[in-house]
Structures are given as C-alpha cells and as structure tokens.
Amino acid sequence: MADKSRPEQLAVFGAPPSFDEPLHVGRPNVPDRARLMARLGDALDRRWLTNDGPCVRELERRVAERLQVEHVVAVANGTLGLALAAAALGLRGEVIVPALTFVGTAHALRWVGLRPVFADVDPQTYTVDPASVEAAITPATSAVFGVHLWGRTCDVERLEAVARTRGLALGFDAAHAFGCRRGGRPVGGFGDVEVFSLHATKIVNAFEGALVTTDDPGLARRLAALRNFGFEGYDRVGGLGINAKMNEASAAMALGGLDELDALVAAGARITACYEKALAGVPGLLRATRGSDDSGNHHYCVVEVDAEQAGLSRDDLLDVLWAENIRARRYFHPGCHRVEPYRSERETTLPVTDALLDRVMQLPAGAAVTTGEVDVVCAVVRTAVAFADTVRPHVRERRAAGSSRYGFPDAR
Ligand code: T4K
C-alpha cells in the first residue's frame, strides 16, 4: 500500500494515484460463476427465456419465504416496480416522498401521472420525517412512499399511523434495503407494498431487475397483470399494462445473489467495521447512528462532512478522493426537489435535506470491496483532513481552474 501519510503523497498534489483502476461505490457483487453458468445453461436448454419462467418463479418463491411476505412479483427494474406499485394501488393526485432519494423514486410516480410532493427527512436516519409528511398532506394526497435510504429503515410505525388515520396508502421504496430488518422483521412486509431494486449496484443484483412485495393478494394479481401487458390469461387483456417482465438471465443472477446473501451481509459488516475503526476520531467526519431495532445489510458507507470541523468541505474531500481514483459519490445531490421537472413546478424548502445534501458522501463499501482498499481510502481521508490547511486552498484553486475530476465526462 502506497504511503499516503503526507500531503505531497496525495495524487491531488501530483503523486501517483492510490488505484490504477477506478474504485467505484457501486461495484457489483458477482455470485459464484459456476452456479450462475449452470442456471443460465439450464435456461438455454429449456428454451424458456422470459415470461414468468422457472428461475423467476423460484426467485419469487424463495424471496417470499425469506422476507416472510405473501406475494413477490419480479419485474424489470425498480423504477417500473415503483410505477406499477402506484398504478396497482390505484393512486391519484399527490404522493408524498422524500427528496433525499434517487431521482427514480420521483420519476416512477410521475410516469403514472402522479405528482410527487417532497417531505423533509430525519437528520439521524436520513429517512422521511413523519411530521413533515403530515404537514404535506392535502385533500389531493393519496399515498405516502417512504424510502429506506442506504438500508436505514423508515419510521414505519409512525408512517403507518399517519397513513391509517388519514386514509392514505403506504408504500416503501426499499431499493437499498434487501436483507435489512426492523424490529426483527425483514423489510418487505411493511405498508401496503415495498419495492426492491435489483440493479447491478444493489446487494443482490439481477443485472437489472426488481421485486415488488405485498401481503395483499388482489394487489399482487394486479401487479402480475400490469407487468405483462395487462394479460390475465391467453388472449385475455383486462386493462392497460406494460412490459415490465424479468427475464431468466436476470433471475438466475439474482438467485446466485440470494444464495450468498448472508455471506454478503457478513462481508459488508467487516467493511463497515473497518471504516468505523479507521475513521474514528477524524474531526468533522460523522457517521449517522442507527436505532437498535434497525439492522442493515452493510452494503453502504455514508459519511457526513462537517466542513468547519474537518477544515475541508465534502466537495473538497471528493476532489482529493477522485484524484486517487476513489470514485466516492455525493448521492443524492442536488435532491429531487432541485432537478427538473420538479424544480420548475414548485418551490420546496427542506432544511434538513438541503443541509445533508451539502454534507453527505457515499464511500465504496459492501462485500465487493476489500479491507485493504478501505484502508487506502481511510488513509487518504485522514491525511487530507490532518493537513486541511494545505489541501483546502489547493483543491479550491484547482476547482476554480476547472481541473476538478469529480464527475468528469469520461468518468468511467
Ligand atoms: N430508488 C432508489 C432509492 C434507488 O437507489 C434506485 C436506483 C431506484 C429507486 C431505481 O431502481 P432501478 O430502476 O435502477 O432498479 C445508479 C443506478 O443506475 C441506480 O439503479 C441506483 N438506484 C443508483 C443509486 O445508482 P447512477 O446514475 O449513479 O449510475 P452510475 O452509472 O453512475 O453507477 C453508479 C456507480 O456504480 C458508479 O460508481 C459505477 C458503479 N458501477 C455501476 C454499474 C452499472 C459499477 O461499478 N458496475 C456496474 O455495472 O445510478
């Protein structure tokens, strides 16, 4: 491991970068290849490649068992999963969501003609604040969709109480929360419906894919029809649908991830522990706490940078990391309420969300990262903060001159 203990050893000052190849935050977990190839081979032999095939059915059955939920409907991706969930619930008008989420949460609702209304989040858990949700309810509101951001579960109990008393549907974007539990219960059975993304960057991935979970048989039936052009049987189209089916290759990939889920969580926990140890005591670098009833999947490492205490802003630190080829990300900047089409539609002020969006940064984490790589990331962070007075003017000068590498066009 290259020595990065002095500022002149940092790549931002011209030293060689820590990594020759980019170290990404979303490096996919790749399951056992032999088993994956065997499953793919079986699918090819069967000549049944999509349309509710055996791998999809096995995935749905096994996930239902694991998550202790009655129905699982596999679909092509999380965005379509959210859109179909909203359509199957028969939502109208406004749906309250946090703005601190991937833009896909809001876009999904918009594609089915709904208006996302943004609520603020809790500064400790980063999930939607039930009090802010209540304040955003209008006569046009039909539902609340919480987001279990970075595997931190929403305040499900308070949101359920709000939904019940105000007569609203309740869904969860559980894109980040496969394998997470709240109060001992697996995420998947909360609210009316939950949607897990199986995008390549998620703990279990299907290349692209998603799972919609519910205990409501009617909802599950509508979801199954919606994902397949509205077909309710041969030649029987019961209504509007779309093609949101999961194919067999995707399901085979997801089954491989599911086989390994416990090991992935355990490996991710080792990475989390490594970050916690190596970053403890670095001034201005905060890790949000987690409630004792909330157990995560250890797929994400998110830190908040307090610029005053660290002597560097989050963006300063990102420039230092990117120069090292460490592709940390400022998810989910600038926030859904500050991107089109939502920005032009209504002025939304969300003090906690806005403050977090200036401070948070996602570091490479999860089972696909090694503890050796984490040691390097942390060494760079520690040196940057320890020599903040030297680093800060330098990176800011580079940024002003347009030489920041963060998000540069050929980032891959
Ligand atoms: N709700 C939430 C809360 C979500 O986070 C997402 C998806 C959704 C809903 C929608 O679910 P899906 O419809 O996607 O199933 C990426 C993903 O495309 C997106 O799926 C994901 N969230 C989001 C958090 O990340 P970008 O625009 O940041 O992608 P990109 O290309 O910059 O890649 C992200 C990082 O992963 C990079 O560091 C590169 C790395 N990467 C990516 C891929 C695809 C790899 O190392 N290997 C890969 O194969 O959106």
Side-chain angles (χ1 to χ4, degrees):
M1 170 174 153
D3 187 1
K4 290 281 174 184
S5 60
R6 302 277 319 154
E8 60 275 15
Q9 292 163 334
L10 296 175
V12 82
F13 286 100
S18 300
F19 296 99
D20 294 334
E21 294 296 320
L23 178 63
H24 287 294
V25 293
R27 185 189 274 172
N29 289 328
V30 177
D32 181 87
R33 282 178 198 220
R35 293 184 78 174
L36 173 61
M37 294 308 167
R39 282 190 170 112
L40 288 174
D42 289 347
L44 297 180
D45 290 345
R46 279 192 296 267
R47 290 178 188 263
W48 194 274
L49 305 184
T50 183
N51 290 19
D52 203 17
C55 287
V56 164
R57 287 192 172 195
E58 182 185 343
L59 179 66
E60 291 174 337
R61 180 181 51 73
R62 285 181 51 195
V63 170
E65 262 167 38
R66 171 137 192 154
L67 303 189
Q68 297 159 31
V69 67
E70 290 294 323
H71 305 279
V72 176
V73 180
V75 294
N77 60 60
T79 308
L80 279 168
L82 287 163
L84 297 195
L89 284 166
L91 303 184
R92 293 276 177 278
E94 299 178 352
V95 177
I96 300 171
V97 289
L100 184 63
T101 180
F102 187 59
V103 71
T105 314
H107 281 353
L109 299 169
R110 192 44 174 272
W111 271 105
V112 288
L114 296 163
R115 176 192 279 265
V117 172
F118 299 110
D120 214 345
V121 295
D122 178 290
Q124 293 304 317
T125 64
Y126 307 145
T127 62
V128 75
D129 176 359
S132 179
V133 167
E134 281 216 84
I137 295 172
T138 72
T141 308
S142 61
V144 178
F145 263 79
V147 180
H148 303 304
L149 201 72
W150 298 310
R152 290 159 190 282
T153 54
C154 292
D155 189 340
V156 169
E157 300 74 23
R158 279 180 68 200
L159 291 175
E160 279 174 347
V162 171
R164 205 171 32 246
T165 50
R166 307 297 290 264
L168 304 174
L170 178 63
F172 291 100
D173 176 339
H176 300 176
F178 199 75
C180 297
R181 301 173 84 85
R182 181 177 181 84
R185 269 180 70 191
V187 171
F190 296 116
D192 297 300
V193 67
E194 302 213 57
V195 181
F196 297 91
S197 168
L198 300 180
H199 180 262
T201 52
K202 306 306 183 217
I203 185 163
V204 168
N205 85 79
F207 300 108
E208 293 266 7
L211 300 165
V212 187
T213 59
T214 180
D215 285 326
D216 177 341
L219 194 66
R221 245 191 335 272
R222 290 195 293 282
L223 283 163
L226 279 167
R227 77 172 165 186
N228 186 24
F229 307 99
F231 278 116
E232 292 170 348
Y234 278 133
D235 308 332
R236 236 168 357 105
V237 177
L240 186 66
I242 198 165
N243 181 357
K245 291 168 278 131
M246 180 184 282
N247 66 63
E248 289 290 278
S250 287
M253 182 74 166
L255 282 167
L258 190 61
D259 292 339
E260 296 172 17
L261 180 56
D262 293 329
L264 294 173
V265 174
R270 286 194 288 279
I271 295 298
T272 305
C274 192
Y275 268 120
E276 265 159 17
K277 192 162 160 233
L279 295 181
V282 177
L285 228 64
L286 315 170
R287 293 259 291 126
T289 50
R290 190 182 272 284
S292 57
D293 60 349
D294 183 23
S295 75
N297 57 14
H298 294 287
H299 191 58
Y300 302 95
C301 176
V302 175
V303 290
E304 275 178 60
V305 183
D306 179 322
E308 250 171 52
Q309 285 182 42
L312 293 175
S313 68
R314 183 269 318 270
D315 289 353
D316 295 334
L317 206 45
L318 272 173
D319 277 340
V320 172
L321 292 167
W322 272 61
E324 303 289 343
N325 239 337
I326 300 164
R327 303 280 174 86
R329 294 285 293 266
R330 51 182 189 177
Y331 284 128
F332 287 98
H333 191 86
C336 293
H337 60 315
R338 303 219 181 278
V339 300
E340 297 299 351
Y342 316 108
R343 185 177 59 172
S344 302
E345 285 173 0
R346 85 162 71 174
E347 176 76 14
T348 311
T349 309
L350 304 169
V352 180
T353 299
D354 289 335
L356 282 171
L357 285 165
D358 281 342
R359 293 159 64 103
V360 290
M361 161 169 88
Q362 195 175 318
L363 295 169
V369 174
T370 67
T371 53
E373 288 167 335
V374 173
D375 287 343
V376 175
V377 173
C378 294
V380 169
V381 169
R382 280 196 308 265
T383 301
V385 174
F387 296 92
D389 288 343
T390 311
V391 171
R392 188 179 54 250
H394 180 68
V395 291
R396 290 188 182 177
E397 213 171 279
R398 285 174 87 234
R399 258 209 312 280
S403 339
S404 163
R405 287 171 65 82
Y406 182 77
F408 55 89
D410 60 341
R412 290 194 181 97

